Amino acid sequence: MAQSRYLLLGMAAFLCAAARGQLAVNTLPADLQQKVDQVAEAALKDTGVPSASLAVVRDGQIVYTHAYGQARLEPAEAATPAMRYSIGSISKQFTAAAILLLEQQGKLSIDDPVSKYLPDLTRASQVTIRMILSHTSGYQDYWPEDYVMPPMLEPTTAQHILDTWGKKALDFDPGTKWQYSNTNFVIAGRIVEMVSGEPLMQFLQENVFKPLDMKEVWNSDATKLEIPDAEGTIRYALGPLRPAPKEGHGWMFAAGELAMPAYDLAQWDISMMNRSLLGAKSYDEMFAPVMLKDGSNSHYGLGLFVEDMQGHPYYEHSGEVSGFVSENMVFPKDKLAIAVLTNEDASRAAGQIGRGLAPLLLGLTNATPSAAEAQALALLENFQQGKIDRSLFTPWCNAYFDAQALGDFQSSLGPLGKPASLKQMAEELRGGMTFRAFRVTFASSGRQLNITTYTMPDGKLEQYLVIPAQ
């Protein structure tokens, strides 16, 4: 009886995938496909995340889609490339695109003050649309936590979010700092609706999803993903996987509301590398890192990070909502993109897969360490000797490394000997800083440890922790 039940479920998933027209694509060379699979499977094993779905773009074409692990808990169901996952904050790119489309239509300017549309917000006459799209406005984030708080289980409205967080004192003077804030994109979403005269999702459907043939986009803010799509999960400490709670309607508006298969996200990535949806000026504005008033680089454009990997420029963003974490990387000059979707919240598998695949697909597998890896390794070797260069750390991190901490670092890490390798496993934004996770292996014993860091926008380290590997 059970076998027949699972057979029917498998057939239903197959028919659903066929109806969506998004069965697995596979034109990647077999040896490279095997390496991609190994990276993804190792990340799931390492993190315990139940499933991942990915799409790879090479030479401007989708060449590989694949899914791994279990997408649903009860009854257990294997992940398929046709399943939708919530993409979280990657949604911000689409809200930014909506603003830029309205600018192309002559209906607004990204340098308009927010007061032109929402005059009641704090210092709205001093904050521009460009600032809210680049997280340089100073508006406080309404959801920095990695879990769903009790008020967020109930429905809300964009107006409630703006009344509560958009009218607080700014965290800093507009344009002087960079700090991630979901509140910014709620403001942007409301401006889209006010200027276009239609709901944000309707505007996106007409002007973005339909032109790009993104047929399976879902508004997960309005309706929870159900069978046959992936199920969001949560794990408390080292306990079992459980269904994740669903945010109340309205909390993800414009900042993290979209769900889709990796295949659809890859089509958006292709449009970015080909500059095929927006006008040239709009793409220039979207991809240019915004400079702060002191002249420093925020490394963030409009709705995405602007980075470089050993001479290969790329646009990147991760996303997290309850039960899901995603990672998206686009290398425009290389015509390469990697979209990874996973279904456990506050987890690092998506970033680990993306960061593992990028150098592999770029042919950088044996390349020299990145600047972040080189710094993490140099610091580790110093700590093994009880040394610290305090100019590299923030005051709080320097306080952490008191005499006791330095002594324990030296006595516990020194005997492990010279590190054989140190590799970055994940990178994402958190609390206005860049979080990175590294895996270090020691030559003499083969022992592995994890290192986690937080880097401030000015480059100073707010955290450097060494943790036993699972």
Side-chain angles (χ1 to χ4, degrees):
M1 185 68 176
Q3 184 177 10
S4 298
R5 182 185 183 191
Y6 290 124
L7 182 62
L8 289 172
L9 283 170
M11 181 59 70
F14 177 87
L15 291 174
C16 174
R20 292 179 180 178
Q22 294 179 356
L23 290 172
V25 174
N26 182 10
T27 57
L28 200 63
D31 60 332
L32 199 49
Q33 174 188 328
Q34 184 179 22
K35 292 176 181 178
V36 169
D37 292 344
Q38 288 172 347
V39 169
E41 289 165 355
L44 294 188
K45 182 178 180 180
D46 182 43
T47 62
V49 170
S51 79
S53 180
L54 61 81
V56 174
V57 174
R58 281 185 103 196
D59 300 321
Q61 303 289 328
I62 299 175
V63 295
Y64 192 51
T65 61
H66 200 75
Y68 313 82
Q70 297 296 120
R72 303 194 70 84
L73 301 179
E74 291 293 338
E77 186 171 349
T80 72
M83 291 178 170
R84 289 176 287 212
Y85 289 65
S86 290
I87 67 169
S89 288
I90 296 174
S91 304
K92 291 179 172 66
Q93 296 173 26
F94 296 92
T95 302
I99 289 282
L100 291 168
L101 284 166
L102 289 171
E103 182 179 53
Q104 288 178 196
Q105 296 169 10
K107 297 179 178 179
L108 57 75
S109 165
I110 62 170
D111 291 314
D112 284 341
V114 169
S115 59
K116 185 174 180 179
Y117 310 97
L118 297 164
D120 294 337
L121 300 187
T122 301
R123 297 173 67 177
S125 63
Q126 301 170 41
V127 177
T128 65
I129 296 175
R130 189 190 299 271
M131 289 176 181
I132 63 173
L133 295 180
S134 61
H135 297 299
T136 58
S137 68
Y139 287 112
Q140 189 176 100
D141 190 0
Y142 72 88
W143 190 13
E145 295 85 357
D146 290 320
Y147 63 97
V148 181
M149 298 82 74
M152 294 183 67
L153 296 172
E154 301 299 325
T156 192
T157 64
Q159 191 60 52
H160 168 73
I161 293 172
L162 299 187
D163 286 343
T164 306
W165 285 272
K167 295 181 180 179
K168 286 187 174 185
L170 298 185
D171 283 352
F172 50 85
D173 289 333
T176 63
K177 295 182 181 180
W178 183 92
Q179 180 173 274
Y180 194 82
S181 174
N182 289 289
T183 307
N184 287 316
F185 278 78
V186 176
I187 296 170
R190 283 295 298 126
I191 292 174
V192 171
E193 295 188 331
M194 294 170 72
V195 173
S196 69
E198 57 186 352
L200 174 62
M201 281 299 296
Q202 182 179 335
F203 184 88
L204 289 173
Q205 187 65 45
E206 296 168 353
N207 295 279
V208 178
F209 307 142
K210 187 175 181 180
L212 296 181
D213 198 32
M214 297 171 64
K215 297 178 179 177
E216 297 305 321
V217 177
W218 185 261
N219 183 359
S220 60
D221 184 45
T223 308
K224 180 180 179 180
L225 289 173
E226 300 285 358
I227 294 174
D229 293 308
E231 174 184 33
T233 68
I234 188 171
R235 191 192 303 272
Y236 299 103
L238 304 181
L241 287 167
R242 302 185 185 280
K246 176 70 176 72
E247 306 92 339
H249 172 66
W251 286 105
M252 296 188 292
F253 168 75
E257 77 278 25
L258 301 180
M260 62 189 71
Y263 183 97
D264 267 5
L265 184 53
Q267 293 187 101
W268 164 253
D269 293 344
I270 292 170
S271 77
M272 285 202 292
M273 64 179 65
N274 291 341
R275 293 177 164 231
S276 61
L277 180 72
L278 308 178
K281 179 176 179 288
S282 294
Y283 280 119
D284 288 345
E285 290 175 330
M286 188 175 197
F287 299 150
V290 170
M291 308 303 288
L292 302 180
K293 288 187 176 180
D294 65 1
S296 59
N297 190 336
S298 71
H299 297 285
Y300 199 91
L302 307 183
L304 42 73
F305 290 91
V306 183
E307 302 285 0
D308 183 274
M309 182 178 290
Q310 299 177 38
H312 297 262
Y314 68 99
Y315 315 126
E316 183 271 344
H317 217 288
S318 60
E320 179 185 359
V321 292
S322 183
F324 296 91
V325 176
S326 57
E327 174 67 32
N328 195 45
M329 306 173 74
V330 180
F331 295 81
K333 291 185 178 180
D334 299 282
K335 299 295 183 182
L336 170 72
I338 303 160
V340 186
L341 312 178
T342 63
N343 66 327
E344 181 184 340
D345 67 2
S347 59
R348 58 185 172 84
Q352 184 171 325
I353 293 169
R355 298 285 164 180
L357 292 183
L360 173 67
L361 295 167
L362 289 168
L364 302 176
T365 307
N366 298 317
T368 56
S370 67
E373 289 172 330
Q375 182 189 53
L377 179 59
L379 292 172
L380 176 64
E381 292 175 337
N382 278 344
F383 285 132
Q384 287 183 296
Q385 302 171 52
K387 300 176 181 178
I388 182 172
D389 180 352
R390 294 194 178 276
S391 68
L392 300 176
F393 300 89
T394 66
W396 284 1
C397 199
N398 273 315
Y400 172 84
F401 283 111
D402 58 13
Q404 179 71 72
L406 284 173
D408 286 354
F409 265 59
Q410 181 180 13
S411 63
S412 63
L413 299 178
L416 297 178
K418 186 175 179 60
S421 65
L422 184 146
K423 296 292 183 184
Q424 183 171 313
M425 308 301 291
E427 180 175 327
E428 61 186 34
L429 179 72
R430 182 76 183 276
M433 299 174 285
T434 301
F435 168 82
R436 294 184 178 94
F438 305 89
R439 175 67 57 84
V440 59
T441 303
F442 293 89
S444 59
S445 64
R447 182 169 181 179
Q448 292 187 321
L449 297 175
N450 292 329
I451 297 172
T452 62
T453 65
Y454 279 106
T455 305
M456 301 289 285
D458 65 2
K460 289 186 181 276
L461 288 165
E462 175 80 343
Q463 173 176 301
Y464 187 102
L465 299 183
V466 179
I467 306 165
Q470 292 183 348

